[in-house]
């Protein structure tokens, strides 16, 4: 090889002399961890999913046009039982004031009335039957009226009050005899051929009819006008009719005849404003609405925010307690180590889920505000979850405190707190980061479980757990997929992403991993 060729090849050889091993040596520990992490495509995928979840939960809630507790309504016709109409084809009995018109006497009087007999004797007492028409007769004893029987009924047009015997008797007598006037209770009345009774001022007061119209609700009173239209519709065989009351409210009334009971059931269908419950996905609500008429997409955004915030705060509480107690235990050893480890053993023996359920029920009984309840939930979960971190930190510090750099810190006169938190704890941070990352997923699952059981985050706050709680009804579970599938997918993706990122960080912090 000549001299010129040798010179030209030197730059090229120099370019390739900076191999991979030499480049790694100039990287800082943090850069090295980041490089290893981002080489892991699965871990990067998990990180991207987490970033999307954070954007969806924290940014999405800001840009959403709705609030998490904003309710939407719709107008629909609701049919409810309103009244029952019975066509009376049986005699009804009325006893005169201060007179005894017992059941046996009523039965005997009806029997002789059907036979066409004008008198009968019962229990050594003689009774007279006075037939007025086929639907009405009166009964006397010793020349004194003791009662009447009629298929026609006297009904008030202005109230639900019942009439006195005197008024009922005189009204039925006038109607049967086709009289136009009668007096009762010292008042004068007029009655027309249709049985409508007017008082002395010319106002409708009552009417005589074989129909019994009874409201389902005791506080509902039917006007004469409504009853007239109702009975006309029944006699005409109509299935429904519309009526506008004196308040201007129009409603449709649906009629259904029950032949076995000889009654007509009346249902009122009126336009009512109700919650827009379980509406299907649309342009207005991309994921529909829940059982309270709230936008599902907005609830998912705010629910993710709550779930993530609870997860991070709980993990921070666990880490702070675990690092402090584990660091003190591992560094000092002796009786301090034994005391803290026995406390850790006690916490390990506590049944976490039953205890949290009991505390949740206690908060229900105390009727705590939703914000206070959520704060207590974070404190409880954080306070019960620190022992695992404390034990890991203690184990790491037990091995680190015997190394040369700790001997050097002691020789330099560095204070004990500075030795622990400046020189020991930073060497535990890689393991802490991995445990915290994976613990986030577990905490979110725990919160979702409690909220699903109704013991976690409560209305009006949303979390992915209490959103899924809406499907504790089998009908909702099978018919309204948009209520639970999106929340379940988000919950699954977030927890899975945290675990993938934690696994990737563990590999990145591993010094034995191939570079």
């Amino acid at each position: 090889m000549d001299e010129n060729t040798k010179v030209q090849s030197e730059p090229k050889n120099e370019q390739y002399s900076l191999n991979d091993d030499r480049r790694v040596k100039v990287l800082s520990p943090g850069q090295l961890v980041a490089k290893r992490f981002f080489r892991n495509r699965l871990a990067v995928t998990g990180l991207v999913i987490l970033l999307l979840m954070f954007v969806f939960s924290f940014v999405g809630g800001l840009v959403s046009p709705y609030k998490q507790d904003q309710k939407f309504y719709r107008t629909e016709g609701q049919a409810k039982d309103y009244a029952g109409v019975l066509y009376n084809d049986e005699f009804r009995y009325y006893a005169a004031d201060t007179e005894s018109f017992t059941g046996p006497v009523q039965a005997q009087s009806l029997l002789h009335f059907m036979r066409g007999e004008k008198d009968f004797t019962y229990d050594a007492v003689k009774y007279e039957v006075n037939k007025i028409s086929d639907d009405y007769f009166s009964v006397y004893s010793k020349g004194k009226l003791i009662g009447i029987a009629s298929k026609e009924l006297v009904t008030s047009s202005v109230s639900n009050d019942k009439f006195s015997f005197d008024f009922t008797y005189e009204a039925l007598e006038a109607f049967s005899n086709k009289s136009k006037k009668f007096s009762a209770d010292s008042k004068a009345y007029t009655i027309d051929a249709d049985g409508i009774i007017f008082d002395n001022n010319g106002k409708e007061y009552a009417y005589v009819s074989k129909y019994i119209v009874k409201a389902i609700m005791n506080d509902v009173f039917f006007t004469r006008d409504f009853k007239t239209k109702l009975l006309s519709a029944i006699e005409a065989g109509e299935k429904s009719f519309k009526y506008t009351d004196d308040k201007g409210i129009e409603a449709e009334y649906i009629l259904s005849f029950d032949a076995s009971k000889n009654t007509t059931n009346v249902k009122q269908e009126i336009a009512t404003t109700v919650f827009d419950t379980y509406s299907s996905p649309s342009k207005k609500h991309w994921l529909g609405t829940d059982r309270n008429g709230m936008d599902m997409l907005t609830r998912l955004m705010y629910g993710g925010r709550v779930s993530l915030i609870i997860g991070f705060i709980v993990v921070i509480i666990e880490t702070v307690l675990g690092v402090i107690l584990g660091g003190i235990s591992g560094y000092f050893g002796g009786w301090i180590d034994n005391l803290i480890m026995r406390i850790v053993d006690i916490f390990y023996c506590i049944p976490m889920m039953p205890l949290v359920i009991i505390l949740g029920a206690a908060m229900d009984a105390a009727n705590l505000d939703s914000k206070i309840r959520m704060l207590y939930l974070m404190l409880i979960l954080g306070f019960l979850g620190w022992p695992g971190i404390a034990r890991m930190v203690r184990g790491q510090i037990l091995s680190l405190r015997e190394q040369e750099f700790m001997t050097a810190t002691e020789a330099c006169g560095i204070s004990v707190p500075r030795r622990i938190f400046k020189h020991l704890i930073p060497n535990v941070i890689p393991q802490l980061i991995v445990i915290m990352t994976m613990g986030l997923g577990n905490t979110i699952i725990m919160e979702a479980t409690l909220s699903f059981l109704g013991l976690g985050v409560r209305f009006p706050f949303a979390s992915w757990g209490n959103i899924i709680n809406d499907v504790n009804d089998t009908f909702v579970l099978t018919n309204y997929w948009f209520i639970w599938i999106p929340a379940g997918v988000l919950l699954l993706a977030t927890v899975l992403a945290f675990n993938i990122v934690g696994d990737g960080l563990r590999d990145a912090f591993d010094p034995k991993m191939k570079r």
Side-chain angles (χ1 to χ4, degrees):
M1 181 181 296
D2 59 10
E3 191 68 25
N4 293 332
T5 305
K6 185 176 180 180
V7 172
Q8 291 176 359
S9 64
E10 285 180 356
K12 188 174 182 180
N13 293 335
E14 182 68 23
Q15 179 181 357
Y16 284 98
S17 65
L18 189 61
N19 56 30
D20 187 68
D21 292 335
R22 292 179 60 186
R23 280 187 283 119
V24 170
K25 292 177 182 178
V26 300
L27 294 177
S28 67
Q31 291 174 328
L32 184 59
V33 171
K35 183 177 180 180
R36 289 175 180 169
F37 179 82
F38 285 107
R39 280 180 176 177
N40 189 334
R41 294 183 179 179
L42 186 61
V44 172
T45 302
L47 183 61
V48 171
I49 294 175
L50 288 180
L51 291 175
L52 292 176
M53 291 301 171
F54 274 90
V55 172
F56 175 78
S57 301
F58 290 90
V59 179
L62 298 176
V63 300
S64 174
Y66 310 128
K67 298 179 180 179
Q68 66 169 325
D69 56 351
Q70 182 176 350
K71 297 180 180 180
F72 295 88
Y73 303 88
R74 67 172 179 264
T75 301
E76 63 179 22
Q78 288 189 336
K80 60 181 180 180
D81 291 334
Y82 190 63
V85 182
L86 171 67
Y87 180 79
N88 184 50
D89 56 359
E90 296 180 354
F91 282 99
R92 293 180 178 258
Y93 300 90
Y94 305 88
D97 298 337
T98 69
E99 296 296 333
S100 177
F101 191 35
T102 61
V105 176
Q106 295 173 5
Q108 289 294 326
S109 61
L110 175 61
L111 176 63
H112 290 81
F113 169 79
M114 299 298 293
R115 291 176 178 176
E117 299 174 354
K118 294 185 178 181
D119 56 61
F120 66 93
T121 302
Y122 177 77
D123 198 16
V125 179
K126 187 176 181 180
Y127 298 92
E128 298 176 4
V129 179
N130 182 24
K131 179 179 179 181
I132 309 300
S133 67
D134 292 338
D135 296 330
Y136 173 63
F137 66 89
S138 55
V139 181
Y140 292 81
S141 176
K142 300 179 181 179
K144 190 175 182 180
L145 178 67
I146 64 170
I148 57 176
S150 174
K151 293 182 179 180
E152 303 284 355
L153 304 172
V154 181
T155 307
S156 173
S157 298
V158 295
S159 68
N160 285 326
D161 297 336
K162 293 183 178 180
F163 297 115
S164 65
F165 174 80
D166 184 38
F167 181 86
T168 302
Y169 169 71
E170 296 293 344
L172 291 175
E173 284 282 328
F175 180 74
S176 300
N177 295 324
K178 297 182 179 181
S179 301
K180 294 183 178 181
K181 295 181 179 180
F182 69 93
S183 297
D185 300 327
S186 303
K187 294 182 180 179
Y189 300 92
T190 58
I191 181 171
D192 62 14
D194 295 326
I196 302 176
I197 301 171
F198 301 91
D199 59 16
N200 54 6
N201 295 321
K203 294 183 178 180
E204 181 178 336
Y205 182 70
Y207 62 94
V208 180
S209 173
K210 284 188 177 181
Y211 285 99
I212 302 174
V213 182
K214 186 174 182 180
I216 299 297
M217 304 297 292
N218 293 330
D219 58 345
V220 175
F221 172 74
F222 301 130
T223 63
R224 172 62 182 168
D225 184 48
F226 172 80
K227 289 182 179 180
T228 300
K229 291 196 174 184
L230 172 61
L231 299 179
S232 298
I234 293 175
E235 292 175 349
E238 298 177 359
K239 298 294 183 180
S240 64
F241 71 97
K242 291 184 178 180
Y243 177 75
T244 303
D245 61 17
D246 53 1
K247 296 180 180 179
I249 300 176
E250 182 183 51
E252 184 174 5
Y253 297 88
I254 302 171
L255 309 177
S256 59
F257 181 70
D258 187 352
S260 62
K261 298 180 180 179
N262 197 27
T263 60
T264 300
N265 298 317
V266 183
K267 288 189 175 183
Q268 183 189 55
E269 185 174 281
I270 189 169
T272 307
T273 300
V274 297
F275 290 137
D276 191 12
T277 303
Y278 297 130
S279 66
S280 300
S282 60
K283 291 182 179 180
K284 184 178 180 181
H285 305 292
W286 290 4
L287 289 179
T289 59
D290 63 6
R291 63 179 176 182
N292 295 312
M294 300 178 182
D295 183 71
M296 277 302 305
L297 182 59
T298 304
R299 296 282 289 177
L300 287 172
M301 292 175 180
Y302 282 93
R305 181 183 301 181
V306 169
S307 295
L308 291 171
I309 288 176
I310 289 178
F312 273 98
I313 293 179
V314 169
V315 167
I316 289 172
I317 294 174
E318 293 176 350
T319 304
V320 171
L321 292 175
V323 167
I324 293 175
L325 295 175
I328 294 173
S329 175
Y331 183 81
F332 290 102
W335 68 270
I336 296 178
D337 181 33
N338 287 330
L339 176 62
I340 294 178
M341 285 302 100
R342 297 299 75 77
I343 295 175
V344 168
D345 292 337
I346 292 173
F347 271 83
Y348 270 123
C349 295
I350 296 175
M352 184 174 180
M353 181 60 75
L355 178 61
V356 173
I357 290 176
I358 291 171
L359 293 174
M363 288 189 287
D364 276 344
N367 197 22
L368 293 179
D369 181 73
S370 298
K371 291 183 180 179
I372 303 298
R373 183 190 183 92
M374 192 161 60
L375 176 61
Y376 283 168
L377 177 64
M378 292 185 290
L379 292 175
I380 292 169
L381 293 178
F383 186 70
L384 294 176
W386 64 269
I389 296 178
R391 179 163 285 181
M392 186 277 298
V393 171
R394 170 187 175 270
Q396 292 293 317
I397 289 181
L398 283 175
S399 62
L400 289 172
R401 73 176 183 176
E402 303 300 332
Q403 296 187 14
E404 290 81 359
F405 76 93
M406 288 305 299
T407 305
T409 59
E410 187 175 354
C412 293
I414 298 176
S415 64
V416 172
R418 188 173 178 83
R419 292 180 209 168
I420 296 175
F421 295 104
K422 182 69 176 179
H423 297 280
L424 286 177
I425 298 301
N427 287 281
V428 187
I429 286 179
Q431 291 80 4
L432 277 177
I433 292 176
V434 175
I435 291 179
M436 290 172 64
T437 306
M438 292 187 170
L440 280 167
N442 294 332
T443 303
I444 292 175
I445 288 291
M446 175 66 75
E447 180 277 323
T449 302
L450 293 174
S451 296
F452 177 77
L453 296 174
L455 301 170
V457 179
R458 301 299 295 271
F459 186 85
F461 294 105
S463 76
W464 288 336
N466 65 16
I467 288 175
I468 300 176
N469 178 260
D470 280 355
V471 297
N472 52 16
D473 183 355
T474 306
F475 180 79
V476 177
L477 178 67
T478 55
N479 291 276
Y480 301 112
W481 60 267
F482 52 86
I483 298 296
W484 61 276
I485 288 183
V489 170
L490 290 175
L491 185 61
L492 172 65
T494 302
V495 175
L496 183 62
F498 272 121
N499 290 335
I500 291 174
V501 170
D503 193 54
L505 288 173
R506 181 189 60 195
D507 294 340
F509 280 116
D510 187 358
K512 297 180 180 180
M513 184 177 178
K514 182 179 178 180
R515 300 180 181 181

